[in-house]
Amino acid sequence: MNKLASKIPDGPLETKWTKFKSTVRLVNPSNKRRIEVLVIGSGLAGASAAAALAELGYTVKCFCFQDSPRRAHSIAAQGGINAAKNYANDGDSVFRLFYDTVKGGDYRAREANVYRLAEISNAIIDQCVAQGVPFAREYGGLLDNRSFGGVQVSRTFYARGQTGQQLLLGAYSALSRQISKGAVTMYNRHEMVEVVMIDGKARGIIARDLVTGELERHFGHAVVLATGGYGNVFYLSTNAMGSNTTAIWKAYKQGAYFGNPCFTQIHPTCIPVSGEYQSKLTLMSESLRNDGRVWVPKAKGDKRKAEEIPDEERDYYLERRYPAFGNLVPRDVASRAAKQVCDEGRGVGPSGLAVFLDFRDSIKRLGRALIEERYGNLFEMYEKITGDDPYTSPMRIYPAVHYTMGGLWVDYNLMTTVPGLYALGECNFSDHGANRLGASALMQGLADGYFVIPYTIGDYLADEIRTGSTPTSHPAFEAAEKSVKDRIDSLMNVKGKQTVEDLHKKLGKIMWDYCGMGRNAEGLTKALGMVRELKKEFWSDVRIPGGAKEFNPELDKAGRVADFIELGELMILDALNRKESCGGHFREESQTEEGEAKRDDENFSYVAAWEFKGEGVEPMLNKEDLQFDVVHPTQRSYK
Amino acid sequence: MGDTINLKLKIWRQKNSKESGRFEIYDMPGVNTHMSFLEMLDVLNDRLIREGKDPVAFDHDCREGICGMCSMYINGRAHGMLKGTTTCQLHMRHFHDGETVTIEPWRATAFPVIRDLVVDRTGFEKIMQAGGYVSVNTGNAPDANNLPIEKSKADEAFDAAACIGCGACVASCKNASAMLFLSAKVSQFALLPQGEPERRERVLRMVAAHDEAGFGSCTNTGACEAECPKGISISHIARLNREYLRASLSQE
Ligand SMILES: Cc1cc2nc3c(=O)[nH]c(=O)nc-3n(C[C@H](O)[C@H](O)[C@H](O)COP(=O)(O)OP(=O)(O)OC[C@H]3O[C@@H](n4cnc5c(N)ncnc54)[C@H](O)[C@@H]3O)c2cc1C
Ligand code: SF4
Ligand code: FES
């Protein structure tokens, strides 16, 4: 059987989802209660899935590693969420949102999935408003929209600069309601550390209570992963400190294929690195590019203050190179352009690894008050971190790792190649191809959780109504717990010299230098060797303080970094294999004369789905060919 | 690069909820003033691990002032001395060379210490579960623009909804009351039409859950508002009181 069957329903694009919904098998209400579903993660994808599944009557357990589901990393999203409402009457439609997303993803996403996402987008806004999410409104009381990087319509809904927070609090409120009804049992400060497989199906997990260090066994008829992105493989990223790959990495090792691991989004507008001690990077919302102009001095090594550089000596390089989109080109394009001008020696700031984002002209045109209303909290955040005032001198920004388009391969039902194991939100690979457009991750997380999984999971669970709960004394649970315990013991017993941070920083540097904004065969090959060495170094020299049976954040981190190192290797293999440039993946060997990314549809119009073949064995590459029936791939142009 | 200062840190160390804790003093020479407060603690922890000692446990995640995870009492102030700032957003440029910095966990009976600076804030969850939601199931919501909401009301609701659930209000209140936290949620829904149908029930249930979770009662000292990193206004407590009164009076 072809494990990579995408299960896309037949028929025209516009009717696939409707048809699916009306023909999918259902589980009757009295059976639902007897079916247990484990949801790992409480971000937009996890919280919405747990709440929606519980509303349908399933018995749900939900897990997160923070002390409350409300703290999942989705909380940090600033800019907004897309929907094809066309409230702005500027020509938007489901089709246009679909088209923009496929094109923005550089034709490496599945048409049917993206179309469904665009279709569902409107219901998300309705749902959130019904929950009391306070979106920005106009004076007439209706919802306000703005435009966001990479598109030419205003379809982004927002809640000041805290859209993710408000959406997550909405999903969290729905989740809290189900917890109070006893339909969801919430496990905070718990980390999933293994998937338990019985007869080839996912049947449960091993979780670690992070307060006591105890291992727990949980049975589920199905396991839903919604554990977020793995950008922290680069050490420095805009992700929260705890964001990790552990859950999906364990799934990969249990047989779930990993899709396009090397597809990473580097966001153009982040606060530059200030020193060695730096622990994370802070994003400055992309919405700033609506009113801010990006530039560097025309001359190399110009160290004058921004205010002292006259207009004719400034290079507004995005406006110059991409007159049609200007400062609003997609993220991958903007990031690469920033890297190029810095590589030319025209970067600004103490490190030379930064460009200006300047509000002078828009303050002049619109007045300070309006700029303050639009971006006040972002300006404040910038000032808090850097000590500089962006109202009087331009911000300094530089690209940083932000989002991972890669993730577990899933079919149309969001099921991985392991029966009964699903992946939702950022941790799957599905909708963004090789580059994600702004404000579409929040859309995807909520679409997956509120509107897709509640339907698609029934298709699998309909066969499970006669499967009783497996007692967790089952040998498979026994064995899984033992392997987890053995691994923790080995970690604790290394008793080496390097801290987990030391090793994580080393990994980050390798990944950033060779598998970051620019990639080439020589560098990647070198990096492959380096990461393999680092793995040995980790397992022979890591030092973890304290014990395994207590609150021990260093041990938690050690487990995550061990997984990151292995993932790093897979990302490099994937980047090596994909000899074309596409979206965020820029193979220096494959560029146009003007230095733009050059796709190779002939040879690479596929999803790379990697299959684990055992420790120390090369993983196997499986390919899902991408078909474009509606949108015809062209070289992306934002000129 | 950058300036450095020398500090002494006086940090609360406590192995777990059962053992009693004590202060320990650490020298911190050469602190780069561009660092954030948590990065400074990272540097300390790095040193402690290398010396074979237990690092200082503290909660944190986003490190950009939005997840509400970080929770430190710094020099007698929740989240330190800067207004409108969480611990993770506090930078070392605001400290002076030679200063002793005292760092403690949130202190409140309803927030037992888990380890060092980490506390258990489950009490907040209980309050939210008691009524911090609008009871709508997924699907079938009417078109979002069928429900116009006056911009000023929507803005005020947003101000209330900006609470990050950090617990600084509880930690700075002499009664360890969670009224600011609770009132922010009640207020958000009291201002919005979506909250109307459950308005009465919600406030009664949430206040009951608050008391049950062991939080103290509010005596209007205003310490919470002064320390709240998100500028949640005490006027929400006034609204909560009105809502509560109204709900109690209309009780059959
Ligand atoms: C700074 C920033 C700004 C952004 N702004 C925008 C924006 O404006 N618009 C937009 O569309 N997108 C934005 N994004 C992207 C978007 O926020 C994320 O892609 C999205 O929120 C991810 O949601 P999620 O539910 O998949 O995962 P997350 O929100 O990351 O949630 C992951 C959950 O999984 C849990 N978890 C992880 N591992 C385990 C484990 N092993 N065991 C148990 N639990 C586990 C965590 O506790 C957490 O609850 C932004 C991202 C960042 C970093
Ligand atoms: S009201 Fe303020 S201090 Fe209290 S939890 Fe909310 S944000 Fe924190
Ligand atoms: S770490 Fe998230 S608010 Fe401080």
Side-chain angles (χ1 to χ4, degrees):
Chain A
M1 197 189 90
N2 177 16
K3 278 203 172 180
L4 288 186
S6 56
K7 300 212 180 117
I8 296 170
D10 300 332
L13 200 54
E14 303 78 36
T15 57
K16 285 180 194 292
W17 179 234
T18 316
K19 192 177 143 206
F20 176 94
K21 283 193 292 184
S22 44
T23 52
V24 68
R25 291 183 300 163
L26 301 173
V27 179
N28 91 34
S30 64
N31 284 328
K32 280 193 185 120
R33 230 170 314 119
R34 282 186 274 131
I35 291 186
E36 296 168 62
V37 181
L38 305 181
V39 177
I40 321 302
S42 66
L44 287 179
S48 59
L53 291 171
E55 286 165 13
L56 288 177
Y58 294 109
T59 297
V60 178
K61 288 180 177 178
C62 182
F63 299 77
C64 74
F65 65 73
Q66 292 92 346
D67 71 334
S68 160
R70 67 180 291 155
R71 306 201 201 285
H73 183 52
S74 295
I75 200 94
Q78 303 167 350
I81 176 166
N82 288 331
K85 285 280 194 189
N86 193 29
Y87 284 163
N89 196 27
D90 55 1
D92 200 8
S93 62
V94 167
F95 185 84
R96 198 180 286 277
L97 173 54
F98 152 75
Y99 177 88
D100 285 346
T101 309
V102 173
K103 176 186 173 198
D106 219 359
Y107 309 97
R108 290 293 172 264
R110 238 187 243 147
E111 279 187 339
N113 284 57
V114 178
Y115 195 87
R116 174 176 67 188
L117 176 65
E119 240 180 311
I120 289 175
S121 66
N122 292 338
I124 298 175
I125 303 302
D126 300 340
Q127 182 64 28
C128 294
V129 166
Q131 290 169 342
V133 170
F135 283 118
R137 287 179 183 268
E138 294 169 342
Y139 283 99
L142 301 181
L143 295 169
D144 191 21
N145 290 128
R146 60 185 176 199
S147 72
F148 226 58
V151 296
Q152 289 166 312
V153 289
S154 279
R155 64 160 72 105
T156 305
F157 293 78
Y158 65 102
R160 289 192 202 153
Q162 287 120 279
T163 317
Q165 177 195 31
Q166 294 309 320
L167 295 176
L168 183 61
L169 292 182
Y172 166 69
S173 73
L175 176 62
S176 298
R177 175 168 164 247
Q178 295 306 317
I179 297 172
S180 76
K181 291 183 166 180
V184 176
T185 311
M186 188 70 215
Y187 294 83
N188 299 328
R189 294 199 197 267
H190 274 65
E191 182 151 306
M192 179 207 119
V193 282
E194 191 57 283
V195 184
V196 179
M197 303 283 298
I198 298 177
D199 300 333
K201 292 177 174 175
R203 284 292 187 218
I205 64 163
I206 304 293
R208 220 175 121 245
D209 178 334
L210 300 180
V211 176
T212 60
E214 295 296 337
L215 298 178
E216 297 173 2
R217 305 171 186 185
H218 296 273
F219 166 82
H221 289 88
V223 178
V224 176
L225 304 182
T227 51
Y230 51 83
N232 278 345
V233 66
F234 290 88
Y235 186 72
L236 287 181
S237 83
T238 61
N239 289 6
M241 302 299 287
S243 298
N244 69 86
T245 190
T246 292
I248 60 170
W249 194 249
K250 303 303 183 199
Y252 164 71
K253 289 186 138 181
Q254 294 293 347
Y257 293 2
F258 206 119
N260 299 329
C262 82
F263 284 175
T264 312
Q265 177 161 84
I266 316 250
H267 195 292
T269 54
C270 302
I271 300 181
V273 174
S274 76
E276 266 301 303
Y277 48 78
Q278 189 101 19
S279 60
K280 74 153 282 170
L281 294 169
T282 302
L283 176 78
M284 287 283 103
S285 168
E286 177 159 45
S287 59
L288 291 168
R289 286 200 275 145
N290 283 334
D291 288 304
R293 299 179 69 196
V294 177
W295 65 277
V296 290
K298 281 188 175 154
K300 281 183 194 175
D302 188 338
K303 287 287 164 202
R304 283 177 294 173
K305 279 195 191 151
E307 304 86 281
E308 290 162 8
I309 303 179
D311 265 9
E312 52 291 358
E313 292 175 44
R314 300 176 174 197
D315 179 10
Y316 291 92
Y317 59 89
L318 289 177
E319 296 168 24
R320 172 172 58 77
R321 286 177 64 177
Y322 308 101
F325 280 69
N327 294 296
L328 293 177
V329 289
R331 294 174 176 176
D332 53 336
V333 178
S335 291
R336 246 176 342 257
K339 178 176 187 292
Q340 281 163 7
V341 293
C342 292
D343 288 351
E344 289 165 19
R346 297 196 285 141
V348 300
S351 64
L353 289 178
V355 300
F356 289 126
L357 179 62
D358 201 338
F359 292 87
R360 184 195 63 181
D361 297 345
S362 44
I363 290 177
K364 227 184 274 166
R365 191 176 44 160
L366 305 166
R368 181 179 158 132
L370 193 64
I371 294 297
E372 200 167 328
E373 188 186 318
R374 284 189 190 160
Y375 311 110
N377 64 322
L378 295 169
F379 277 39
E380 221 175 87
M381 184 148 137
Y382 182 85
E383 186 172 1
K384 264 184 195 148
I385 293 174
T386 62
D388 297 332
D389 172 17
Y391 290 104
T392 55
S393 58
M395 288 183 178
R396 273 184 277 121
I397 53 162
Y398 197 66
V401 173
H402 177 58
Y403 183 88
T404 46
M405 282 76 69
L408 292 182
W409 183 92
V410 288
D411 62 17
Y412 191 72
N413 293 353
L414 303 182
M415 183 143 81
T416 67
T417 49
V418 171
L421 183 65
Y422 292 81
L424 276 54
E426 190 173 342
C427 77
N428 74 24
F429 88 106
S430 77
D431 297 347
H432 309 293
N435 173 58
R436 176 176 69 78
L437 289 181
S440 58
L442 301 183
M443 171 172 71
Q444 184 221 334
L446 290 180
D448 288 0
Y450 282 136
F451 296 106
V452 180
I453 194 76
Y455 283 96
T456 59
I457 205 168
D459 192 44
Y460 174 77
L461 293 175
D463 285 333
E464 299 290 336
I465 49 175
R466 269 177 285 277
T467 319
S469 324
T470 308
T472 54
S473 53
H474 187 284
F477 277 96
E478 198 87 35
E481 184 180 318
K482 179 164 186 320
S483 84
V484 169
K485 188 180 170 299
D486 291 348
R487 185 165 184 266
I488 292 175
D489 290 343
S490 333
L491 278 172
M492 294 306 300
N493 284 332
V494 177
K495 297 195 164 63
K497 291 202 175 54
Q498 300 186 61
T499 63
V500 179
E501 290 288 301
D502 289 341
L503 292 151
H504 194 180
K505 278 185 187 165
K506 283 185 183 173
L507 173 67
K509 184 157 167 40
I510 301 171
M511 297 305 290
W512 180 247
D513 287 350
Y514 301 106
C515 198
M517 269 193 284
R519 303 160 173 187
N520 59 57
E522 194 192 328
L524 288 165
T525 310
K526 183 170 164 197
L528 192 59
M530 290 168 86
V531 169
R532 286 178 176 157
E533 273 312 303
L534 187 66
K535 183 173 170 185
K536 286 187 209 146
E537 202 176 316
F538 182 93
W539 285 96
S540 59
D541 200 28
V542 69
R543 165 181 291 205
I544 303 165
K549 288 287 170 62
E550 58 186 35
F551 186 84
N552 188 348
E554 284 296 311
L555 174 58
D556 311 344
K557 217 160 52 181
R560 295 170 188 165
V561 172
D563 294 335
F564 274 136
I565 293 175
E566 295 181 6
L567 166 69
E569 182 180 339
L570 187 68
M571 290 171 70
I572 295 168
L573 284 172
D574 186 43
L576 259 174
N577 169 69
R578 195 172 282 276
K579 297 187 180 69
E580 63 162 353
S581 293
C582 59
H585 171 64
F586 190 64
R587 277 292 294 264
E588 286 157 4
E589 300 94 328
S590 179
Q591 48 181 308
T592 64
E593 271 165 27
E594 293 121 352
E596 306 293 342
K598 199 165 123 204
R599 261 192 358 256
D600 174 358
D601 291 337
E602 196 126 331
N603 296 303
F604 291 98
S605 184
Y606 62 76
V607 177
W610 296 87
E611 180 180 357
F612 181 69
K613 284 288 181 192
E615 296 297 343
V617 182
E618 287 258 328
M620 190 172 124
L621 174 64
N622 300 278
K623 298 176 183 175
E624 180 200 341
D625 284 321
L626 290 167
Q627 266 187 29
F628 294 93
D629 299 328
V630 178
V631 185
H632 293 290
T634 50
Q635 202 66 35
R636 273 191 319 167
S637 169
Y638 293 92
K639 296 189 190 282
Chain B
M1 216 177 80
D3 307 313
T4 59
I5 49 176
N6 302 317
L7 298 176
K8 239 190 228 332
L9 304 180
K10 188 174 159 201
I11 305 180
W12 185 258
R13 302 303 308 263
Q14 183 172 339
K15 190 121 180 109
N16 53 46
S17 55
K18 291 177 199 81
E19 287 173 38
S20 55
R22 69 204 175 283
F23 278 109
E24 265 182 36
I25 311 262
Y26 303 91
D27 274 319
M28 273 306 281
V31 174
N32 184 317
T33 53
H34 292 293
M35 279 183 192
S36 72
F37 196 84
L38 296 185
E39 285 167 346
M40 188 257 315
L41 288 180
D42 291 341
V43 172
L44 170 68
N45 278 345
D46 188 74
R47 191 178 88 202
L48 293 177
I49 296 169
R50 280 174 218 286
E51 289 169 356
K53 297 180 185 145
D54 278 339
V56 179
F58 59 89
D59 263 334
H60 65 109
D61 200 26
C62 73
R63 294 207 177 187
E64 48 188 64
I66 193 75
C67 74
M69 193 97 179
C70 63
S71 45
M72 289 183 200
Y73 216 64
I74 302 166
N75 286 339
R77 308 275 304 269
H79 293 302
M81 64 297 192
L82 283 196
K83 220 180 147 45
T85 306
T86 55
T87 300
C88 60
Q89 291 175 301
L90 181 61
H91 279 68
M92 298 315 293
R93 67 179 79 92
H94 302 290
F95 292 84
H96 309 294
D97 190 38
E99 197 176 332
T100 297
V101 182
T102 308
I103 313 172
E104 298 166 80
W106 286 170
R107 296 201 194 270
T109 352
F111 287 164
V113 170
I114 290 176
R115 180 164 194 160
D116 298 336
L117 306 172
V118 177
V119 299
D120 181 352
R121 286 172 285 199
T122 308
F124 273 10
E125 300 302 303
K126 301 274 182 242
I127 295 176
M128 289 297 290
Q129 286 156 18
Y133 44 77
V134 173
S135 297
V136 286
N137 281 357
T138 309
N140 300 318
D143 185 274
N145 263 354
N146 278 349
L147 187 71
I149 300 174
E150 210 178 308
K151 183 167 162 42
S152 61
K153 283 243 168 91
D155 285 348
E156 210 185 335
F158 184 97
D159 290 339
C163 163
I164 57 173
C166 63
C169 45
V170 178
S172 32
C173 172
K174 69 179 170 53
N175 310 317
S177 168
M179 275 303 156
L180 193 62
F181 167 80
L182 161 63
S183 71
K185 220 5 105 187
V186 167
S187 201
Q188 176 193 345
F189 289 133
L191 283 157
L192 295 173
Q194 297 94 316
E196 197 56 39
E198 297 166 281
R199 196 163 167 181
R200 197 181 70 86
E201 272 290 295
R202 174 180 301 112
V203 64
L204 295 175
R205 285 167 54 181
M206 288 181 82
V207 169
H210 168 276
D211 297 350
E212 199 171 306
F215 295 105
S217 51
C218 172
T219 53
N220 277 311
T221 65
C224 52
E225 181 187 59
E227 300 296 330
C228 170
K230 295 293 143 182
I232 304 295
S233 156
I234 201 169
S235 68
H236 296 299
I237 299 187
R239 179 175 290 110
L240 168 74
N241 289 335
R242 288 198 300 276
E243 292 290 313
Y244 188 75
L245 192 67
R246 210 177 83 143
S248 324
L249 289 178
S250 70
Q251 221 166 0
E252 17 339 6

